[in-house]
Amino acid sequence: MKATSCVILLLSFARTWAFAPSLAKGCSSVTALRMSSVAPKLDGWKDKPLYSPKETTPEPVRHVSWFERQMQGDIILDPDYSLAWMFLILGFAIVGYHPSYYEDGSLSLIGVCGGMFHMLFASLLWVQTRRVRCVFEKDGFEFYNIKGPSLDFAKGAYLDKKPDNYVAGTRNRWKYDTIINYGFFPSLQFPVICYFKETETPEEKWDKWFAAFDSYGRGQPHFFPGICNARQFRAEMEARGVNRKPIQTFKKKNQD
């Protein structure tokens, strides 16, 4: 009985070994597993290689010579009160429709304080929009304060230099050749925050305030609310050949 069992067991091993794939000479089973496991990482949705970020180099939309810049006149950008209006309307909406109100309809402290905060911020934006102007000059752009009667140029108002930048301690003027990027958040159509980065500020001051959160370094970033016409700002930057990093997009190259 034991002999019969041993014969059956040997026959089953032989049958299994006959169908097993043979390994090439000099190639172990561990090596075969390693070779089969090496494969490019694919997107689970489209079976395409995963996106890997690439370093982009700032470049102007159009190249402008020094002579062309000198021929362009000084431009004062128009003010844009859209952001002030938005926060004012949002403040009234919070006061009137905040969900923390009581069942009898009486006002809540949270709703009133939240709405008043937005209204005060709207007032600040309104004042800044009315008295601050962005001026594009021959070799750089600068922010000025309007001073004079009624802040009206027709009545004798004039542009006055702003105090030094409170973050970097430098003048609020930047040369076009030192700017390496600019943009608008969340978009050009709705510019809540305008941004640009420059290398004119001394490098030892690049890590102050908001610049400390810039993991790339390579320059001093600046942020200001969209109180000037963002479309004019972009148009002047492009017309004067200011560098900008290409914007990453999923659109095809033949699309606009």
Side-chain angles (χ1 to χ4, degrees):
M1 188 68 179
K2 293 182 178 180
T4 305
S5 301
C6 291
V7 171
I8 294 174
L9 186 61
L10 290 174
L11 289 175
S12 62
F13 274 118
R15 182 176 297 178
T16 304
W17 184 257
F19 289 98
S22 59
L23 297 176
K25 293 182 179 180
C27 180
S28 64
S29 59
V30 177
T31 306
L33 286 174
R34 288 178 179 175
M35 293 178 61
S36 62
S37 61
V38 176
K41 296 181 179 180
L42 301 179
D43 187 352
W45 293 95
K46 298 182 179 180
D47 292 332
K48 294 182 179 181
L50 291 175
Y51 170 77
S52 58
K54 298 180 181 179
E55 181 67 19
T56 54
T57 302
E59 57 184 17
V61 175
R62 58 184 294 262
H63 293 274
V64 179
S65 65
W66 177 88
F67 181 77
E68 289 179 290
R69 284 180 180 171
Q70 298 306 308
M71 295 299 295
Q72 297 181 12
D74 297 347
I75 300 295
I76 302 177
L77 301 187
D78 296 332
D80 189 351
Y81 292 90
S82 301
L83 197 59
W85 276 113
M86 183 199 71
F87 275 96
L88 182 63
I89 295 172
L90 184 59
F92 279 108
I94 291 175
V95 172
Y97 300 99
H98 197 275
S100 64
Y101 287 171
Y102 299 102
E103 294 181 358
D104 59 358
S106 58
L107 298 178
S108 72
L109 184 61
I110 298 176
V112 173
C113 291
M116 291 299 297
F117 172 80
H118 285 77
M119 292 179 190
L120 289 174
F121 189 61
S123 301
L124 175 63
L125 288 174
W126 189 280
V127 172
Q128 290 293 92
T129 305
R130 189 166 183 261
R131 75 182 185 93
V132 176
R133 291 293 181 271
C134 180
V135 181
F136 279 80
E137 300 170 343
K138 295 185 183 301
D139 62 341
F141 75 94
E142 184 170 358
F143 288 96
Y144 289 89
N145 285 332
I146 301 179
K147 291 186 177 181
S150 303
L151 303 181
D152 188 353
F153 293 117
K155 297 180 180 180
Y158 59 95
L159 295 175
D160 187 51
K161 293 181 180 179
K162 291 176 64 67
D164 290 343
N165 189 278
Y166 69 93
V167 175
T170 57
R171 182 180 173 184
N172 287 298
R173 189 179 194 280
W174 300 274
K175 295 181 179 179
Y176 303 128
D177 292 335
T178 65
I179 299 175
I180 58 176
N181 197 18
Y182 62 93
F184 312 92
F185 302 100
S187 66
L188 177 65
Q189 292 72 26
F190 189 62
V192 176
I193 295 294
C194 301
Y195 152 85
F196 67 94
K197 179 184 279 190
E198 45 83 16
T199 57
E200 187 173 357
T201 302
E203 187 173 353
E204 61 269 14
K205 298 182 179 181
W206 289 358
D207 59 347
K208 291 184 177 180
W209 293 73
F210 296 106
F213 298 96
D214 182 16
S215 59
Y216 291 97
R218 307 169 193 166
Q220 172 68 35
H222 297 268
F223 303 89
F224 61 94
I227 58 176
C228 61
N229 191 306
R231 294 183 182 276
Q232 291 181 356
F233 186 90
R234 186 186 69 168
E236 290 300 322
M237 286 289 207
E238 293 178 354
R240 298 170 194 268
V242 179
N243 287 326
R244 185 184 189 186
K245 285 191 174 184
I247 299 176
Q248 298 294 333
T249 177
F250 292 102
K251 295 182 178 180
K252 295 181 180 180
K253 294 184 178 181
N254 58 354
Q255 292 181 349
D256 294 332

